[in-house]
Amino acid sequence: MPTSAGCDDAAEGVSRSAAVVGLPFDLSEIVDNLHRERYPGDGHAQKRGILSSRAVQRAYYAVRPWLGVPVRKHLQRAFLRNWERLRFPQWPVDTTVEELLERVLWLCMAARKIERVPFVWFWPERASGCAMVTHDVETKAGLELVPEIIEIDNAFGIKSSFQLIPNGAYTVSPQLLESIRARGCEVGIQDLSHDGNLFDDHDRFRRRAATINRLAREYGASGFRAGRLYRNTDWYGELDVAYDMSVPNVGHLEAQRGGCCTVFPYFVGEVLELPVTTSQDYSVFHILGDYSIDHWKRQIALIFEKHGLASFIVHPDYSMKGRALEAYKQLLGHLAELRSQRMVWTALPQDVNRWWRERSQMRVTRRNGVDEIAGPGRDAASVAYASMNGDRLSYVV
Ligand SMILES: [Zn+2]
């Protein structure tokens, strides 16, 4: 990977002749490997010592409900120590996939002397980027704060999605689902029992996936997120959901590290992955110790530089009071400002899913010398052009 990887610069092996660009690698395979987190781990990832063993993690999660935040914070910092030294994926946002695709398109355009290339713009109504707010409800106390957080989101004109745990610490009733939807919000499934073992054993996963699929139909939910962002995308074929939201862009602060290195949705077979592209509230407040929104703002700026998807996880369980709540309101204010000033689309995951699926079916066609878009949902779509701007690409919508 030519950018942030810190490994051999494959760009040196690219040959550029009159009309052909020969790449020393299979581009779609490389992109797929990044999306699926199939790359060698950083040395530090393997050297986290005793705290990284699954047995210790399991023991930790078993007692976690009884540990106060100060104790958990201490243990988590020990578990995550030296995370700043991880070089790949790149902190705080990794855009290796975007850099790679842009570079290859640039090389093709240069080789064929093409001035500009039309494509379907990333988002509907010419939006410059997309922001998505989701809330994972972990406890009964968190559930009780759902109406309040809906109220707060509403005050900033933002509709959010709530990920509920079917076999967790609270009961998911039809009334609960209805009360969330009645406010224009979305309901998604979070894990099954949230015990941290969802991906431990393939046979058990198959059985659990069957239950998740049945409950998703029962709830009318089209999206899934695993507890603590644990994942194994090789098994996603067994999930009968439209989209998943369990893969971080860069997972340095997550229990399972790695990251998909992109700020755009992508398909894993039939499942659309809407990656988690910003740090979770818990990490920002309790690991980074940052109650300003500077870290989030930095991530948002990097994501929107690429016109990507900025997705957030904020827990009613621990961000509905004090400094955390103040910071969360500032974040909402910042998103509302970006919506009005920079035409950022604030959307529910189900809407992002619908749009991205439609967009994947659209094509730019040329009729009477004019470029237009064919395919479902094209009314909201716009033709954009990529053109060479020095050694980079720039886009015009
Ligand atoms: Zn959770």
Side-chain angles (χ1 to χ4, degrees), residues 176-250:
L176 172 63
L177 302 176
E178 179 46 32
S179 69
I180 293 173
R181 293 204 177 103
R183 309 296 306 273
C185 295
E186 181 181 347
V187 174
I189 295 212
Q190 188 194 167
D191 211 278
L192 183 57
S193 58
H194 209 290
D195 57 4
N197 302 331
L198 189 60
F199 294 99
D200 278 7
D201 177 87
H202 200 171
D203 280 333
R204 196 171 52 188
F205 177 77
R206 275 193 201 101
R207 289 194 296 275
R208 289 184 172 190
T211 310
I212 289 168
N213 297 339
R214 177 177 56 77
L215 290 168
R217 281 189 294 275
E218 215 174 285
Y219 292 6
S222 52
F224 177 78
R225 172 177 287 148
R228 298 174 205 113
L229 307 189
Y230 283 136
R231 58 213 179 266
N232 179 348
T233 52
D234 290 345
W235 298 352
Y236 277 18
E238 279 143 58
L239 285 174
D240 188 16
V241 293
Y243 68 87
D244 171 78
M245 304 190 286
S246 311
V247 186
N249 169 274
V250 41

Side-chain angles (χ1 to χ4, degrees), residues 97-147:
V97 170
E98 285 72 47
E99 305 283 347
L100 192 61
L101 295 175
E102 283 169 17
R103 192 77 203 133
V104 169
L105 181 56
W106 188 97
L107 286 165
C108 292
M109 291 172 75
R112 297 189 178 185
K113 298 196 169 52
I114 298 169
E115 294 275 297
R116 53 179 209 166
V117 171
F119 67 102
V120 180
W121 183 243
F122 303 113
W123 303 109
E125 313 295 347
R126 299 166 173 235
S128 67
C130 177
M132 190 175 94
V133 177
T134 69
H135 303 298
D136 290 359
V137 183
E138 312 288 340
T139 60
K140 208 159 181 265
L143 186 72
E144 277 156 17
L145 291 163
V146 166

Side-chain angles (χ1 to χ4, degrees), residues 11-142:
E12 281 166 16
V14 175
S15 59
R16 185 144 62 94
S17 66
V20 189
V21 177
L23 300 171
F25 50 80
D26 179 337
L27 181 62
S28 62
E29 192 187 317
I30 296 250
V31 168
D32 196 49
N33 284 343
L34 290 167
H35 282 162
R36 307 288 291 273
E37 307 176 274
R38 291 180 189 134
Y39 44 76
D42 193 287
H44 291 289
Q46 274 88 51
K47 279 187 253 155
R48 278 182 292 162
I50 185 160
L51 283 164
S52 65
S53 92
R54 286 293 283 140
V56 173
Q57 280 190 49
R58 207 168 298 144
Y60 165 69
Y61 283 114
V63 296
R64 194 173 91 128
W66 292 278
L67 302 175
V69 164
V71 179
R72 283 166 54 184
K73 221 154 65 174
H74 187 76
L75 285 174
Q76 277 160 339
R77 280 190 184 144
F79 169 72
L80 294 167
R81 75 188 183 286
N82 292 335
W83 68 268
E84 297 97 331
R85 285 195 236 152
L86 298 172
R87 288 171 302 152
F88 187 80
Q90 197 168 48
W91 180 261
V93 173
D94 191 290
T95 53
T96 303
V97 170
E98 285 72 47
E99 305 283 347
L100 192 61
L101 295 175
E102 283 169 17
R103 192 77 203 133
V104 169
L105 181 56
W106 188 97
L107 286 165
C108 292
M109 291 172 75
R112 297 189 178 185
K113 298 196 169 52
I114 298 169
E115 294 275 297
R116 53 179 209 166
V117 171
F119 67 102
V120 180
W121 183 243
F122 303 113
W123 303 109
E125 313 295 347
R126 299 166 173 235
S128 67
C130 177
M132 190 175 94
V133 177
T134 69
H135 303 298
D136 290 359
V137 183
E138 312 288 340
T139 60
K140 208 159 181 265

